[in-house]
Amino acid sequence: MSTENSVYTPAKWRFRFVYLIALMLFLVAGGRLFYLTVVDRDFLQNQGEIRAVRTESIPATRGMILDRRGEPLAVSTPTWTVVANPRALWKLERDPSTNSGPEQEITRLAEVMGVGRAWLQEKFEANKKRSFMYLRRQISPHEADAIMAAKVVGVTKTKEYKRFYPAGEVASHVVGFTNIDDKGQEGIELAYNRALQGEPGRRSYVKDLSGNIIRGIGVDETEHPGENIELSVDLRLQYLAYRELKAAVTEHRATSASAVILDVKTGEILAMVNQPSYNPNDRSKLEYEELRNRAVIDLFEPGSTMKPFTIATALMSGQYTTETTINTSPGYLRFGRFTIRDATNYGDMDFEKLLIKSSNVGASKIALSLPQDAIWNMDYELGIGSPVGIGFPGEASGVLPSHPKWHPSEIATLSYGYGLSVSTLQLAQAYMTLANDGYRVPVTLFKQDSPANGKQVIPRKVAKDVVKMMEAVVQKGSGKAAQIPGYRVAGKTGTVHKVGSKGYEYDQYIALFAGVAPASNPRLAMVVMINDPKGREYYGGEVAAPVFSRVMEGALTTLNIYPDLPEGLREVRLEPKKTVPLQVVQGG
C-alpha cells in the first residue's frame, strides 16, 4: 500500500496544482469582468461612446416672416447638405484585388459631383486630419441621393434649411436675408434673428470606422422652431408702391428713391420701398449700395415740405390766425451776403396762398416773428433729430441743429426745410401726426390690434386748418399731379438742391411730395422721395407727385376707403396718369 500511494501522490498533486491555477485564473478573469461590467461600467461605456457614438445637431426651422394678411415674406425650405470625413477616407487601406483606395474613392466622388478630380483631391488632402468637411450645401434631395448612391467612404448627408423670399426684390429692404448658416444679415432677419432662429435639438447615433451611420440611438433634445413674425406691411400696397417708384426712377433717370405709406391712426408702416433694390433669392451679383434701406438710412433736407409745420407753429403761437396776411415784398430777404428769394414778388399773402406759392420769404418772416426756438421745438416734437424707433438696423436719427443763440438766417432757413436733415420715414411720421389731428403715435413695423398711446403735439383745430390749406396746394398749386379721382388729397411738394462738396449743387435736386388722404378724414400718409432726377422734369410736383397719386389711389381702393369728393367732382383730374410697366423680380 505504501508503494502504491507513493506512486500516485505526485500525479494527484500536479492535477490539484493545475486545477488550482485554472481556478485562480478563472477567478481573476471573473473578477476583472465583474470590475469592468459593474464597477467601471460608466467609464468604459463613456470611452466606447467617444469612439463610436456621435452627436448631431437637429436644425430648428426658422420662423416665417409674414405680412399683415398672412402672406409669406420669408420661409424656410428643407434641403440636404453632403459632408465628408477626410480622416476616415485616408485611413482606408488600398486593396489591389478590387483596385480600391482613397484615390479611387475620390475619383468616384468627383464623377458623381461633376467636379475636377484634382481639385477634390487637393481639398481632401488639405483636410486629411479633420473628421468633417462640407462637400455640397443646401442642395435638393435628388442631388444628395445621387451623391450618396456612390457609397464613398466617410460621405454622409444631413438636413439643413434654406431661406426663400416669395416677394423677391419687392420686400427685400424690409425683410432682409440670411447667410448660408441661416443667420440674419440684413433687415428684419438681422434685427430679430434671435426670435426667428429658434433652438436646435440634438440626437445621437453610432458610426463605424468609415464614418457610416450604423444605428440611431435617439433624440437627446427636441428642437424648438423659431417664432413667426407678422409685419404691418401690406404686400398688395408694397407691390404697388414698388412698381410705381421703379417706373419713376427709370423714367426720370434718377439715382435712387424711396417711399413710405403709414396708417395715420395706428402708426403702422403699410409699405416701405426703395430703389435700387436686389433679389434676396439670387445674390450672385449683389452690390453693397443695393442693400441700404434708404427710407430709414438716407438723410436729406426736406425743403418746402416743412412749411406746413411752420404755419402750424405760427397758429399755435396765438400771434396769427388763418386769415393773417404776410407782406413778402419785394420778393427777397437779405441777411448780410445771404439772400432768401421767392420765384417772384408775391406781395401780401395769407397762409393758404403762402403754401400754394411755396414762399420762402413768407415762411422766413413768420419764423423770425416767433420766439427763436419755436420752429426747433415743433420739429423736435414731430420726432425730427431722433430715431423713429422701429428697431431697424442702421436707422438714422436725422439732424436737427440746436444753438444757444440762433442767427436770424438759421431760423429763416429752418422754416422752409433747410439746415436740417430727415429720412423718408421721419418725414412720413411728421405728416402722419398732422393728419391724425396733431396726435403723434409711435411708428411700427408690426401689426397692431389697436392704436398705441401717443402724444398731442399740435392742437386738433390747428392740424385740421393746416390740412385744409395743404388741400388747396393739390387743388390749385404745385401739387395738382397728386390729385386722385373721387378723393380729396392734401399735401405739399418740395424741390431741394442737393449738397455737394463745395455747397449746394444748382443742377442736382431731390424731388419730394408728402401728403395725406382722404383729406376730409385722413387715413393714410405717404412720402415720395426721388433723388437726383436727370430728365427735363425735376420739380417735386412733376416727379414725385404723380407717383403719390398712382400709389395712393391704388392703396385707397385696395383698403376699401370710401371716396370723400362729391359725386359730381369724382372724375376730375387735372394731370393725366402715366404708368410705366416694369418687370418685378420675385422669387427664384
Side-chain angles (χ1 to χ4, degrees), residues 293-332:
N293 186 344
R294 297 173 184 274
V296 298
I297 294 175
D298 285 10
L299 298 176
F300 54 88
E301 290 181 306
S304 295
T305 57
M306 295 302 294
K307 287 173 183 171
F309 303 106
T310 297
I311 289 178
T313 306
L315 294 175
M316 290 169 60
S317 72
Q319 297 177 222
Y320 297 90
T321 69
T322 55
E323 306 301 323
T324 303
T325 58
I326 306 295
N327 183 4
T328 63
S329 297
Y332 59 85

Side-chain angles (χ1 to χ4, degrees), residues 396-472:
S397 59
V399 177
L400 182 61
S402 179
H403 306 290
K405 184 171 177 61
W406 289 82
H407 189 276
S409 65
E410 294 170 330
I411 297 173
T413 54
L414 206 63
S415 72
Y416 57 88
Y418 280 81
L420 72 160
S421 296
V422 300
S423 66
T424 305
L425 181 60
Q426 284 179 318
L427 188 57
Q429 177 184 236
Y431 271 75
M432 175 194 74
T433 302
L434 196 59
N436 195 28
D437 293 338
Y439 190 72
R440 177 184 164 189
V441 296
V443 175
T444 179
L445 251 176
F446 300 99
K447 185 178 178 181
Q448 302 295 302
D449 296 325
S450 59
N453 293 327
K455 179 182 180 182
Q456 193 79 39
V457 298
I458 302 173
R460 181 184 178 91
K461 183 179 186 308
V462 170
K464 286 186 174 296
D465 288 339
V466 175
V467 169
K468 187 175 181 181
M469 295 177 200
M470 292 195 306
E471 192 176 354

Side-chain angles (χ1 to χ4, degrees), residues 215-275:
R215 64 182 176 86
I217 296 177
V219 175
D220 302 319
E221 292 182 16
T222 304
E223 74 277 14
H224 299 284
E227 300 175 23
N228 293 339
I229 290 181
E230 190 173 22
L231 301 183
S232 60
V233 170
D234 189 320
L235 193 54
R236 299 171 299 177
L237 274 58
Q238 186 80 5
Y239 270 112
L240 176 62
Y242 185 85
R243 182 191 69 194
E244 296 299 339
L245 192 70
K246 188 173 183 178
V249 168
T250 302
E251 179 184 357
H252 298 286
R253 295 182 287 120
T255 301
S256 60
S258 59
V260 174
I261 303 176
L262 298 179
D263 186 304
V264 165
K265 304 300 181 183
T266 65
E268 294 171 297
I269 299 174
L270 300 180
M272 183 162 61
V273 295
N274 301 277
Q275 279 295 309

Side-chain angles (χ1 to χ4, degrees), residues 194-205:
R194 179 167 300 195
L196 287 165
Q197 67 182 0
E199 294 291 335
R202 290 190 307 119
R203 61 167 165 250
S204 300
Y205 53 87

Side-chain angles (χ1 to χ4, degrees), residues 79-81 136-140 160-162 179-181:
T79 60
W80 289 99
T81 289
R136 286 276 175 83
R137 295 197 69 178
Q138 298 183 350
I139 59 177
S140 67
E160 285 189 324
Y161 289 94
K162 184 178 181 180
N179 61 13
I180 196 168
D181 293 316

